[in-house]
Amino acid sequence: MATNYRVLGQVAPLATTATAIYTVPSATEAVVSSVTVCNRSASSVTFRLSVRPDGAALANQHYLVYDASLDANDTIILTIGVTMDATDVLEAYASSGDLTFHAYGSEIS
């Protein structure tokens, strides 16, 4: 088995649109060690973060963060250590189009 440490994904989703940050490739497992959320606007915004196992439709039990507030021009780093299996999806949602999400971690294949 090989382990690759890397940027798993980077997205700047449209407002109120659930967007995949990272989908685990087939025959691969992943550990998301941290997620950075950056608010590029001069206003507070809210965001959501979820993991959808096997690409399932989004449901309440998938949320890691729900409508957390992020101050204007601020950044938060979430150290989460989420383990993911092939086809699992890490997903972001923002109340405005001014947020950027980055996921960092490792892939094991």
Side-chain angles (χ1 to χ4, degrees):
M1 286 210 292
T3 301
N4 297 309
Y5 303 97
R6 55 186 294 245
V7 175
L8 297 173
Q10 299 173 314
V11 297
L14 298 173
T16 67
T17 304
T19 304
I21 302 172
Y22 172 68
T23 302
V24 183
S26 63
T28 305
E29 297 171 335
V31 177
V32 179
S33 59
S34 60
V35 175
T36 301
V37 186
C38 174
N39 181 0
R40 305 181 321 272
S41 78
S43 302
S44 292
V45 296
T46 60
F47 70 95
R48 301 173 188 174
L49 193 63
S50 60
V51 173
R52 297 188 293 116
D54 297 320
L58 185 60
N60 287 337
Q61 67 266 25
H62 298 148
Y63 286 104
L64 302 172
V65 178
Y66 192 89
D67 285 350
S69 183
L70 188 58
D71 290 336
N73 301 311
D74 200 4
T75 298
I76 186 170
I77 300 169
L78 305 170
T79 304
I80 55 178
V82 172
T83 56
M84 298 173 68
D85 201 6
T87 72
D88 289 355
V89 179
L90 177 65
E91 192 167 74
Y93 174 97
S95 62
S96 90
D98 296 314
L99 288 184
T100 304
F101 295 80
H102 299 247
Y104 303 94
S106 55
E107 288 182 329
I108 303 127
S109 57

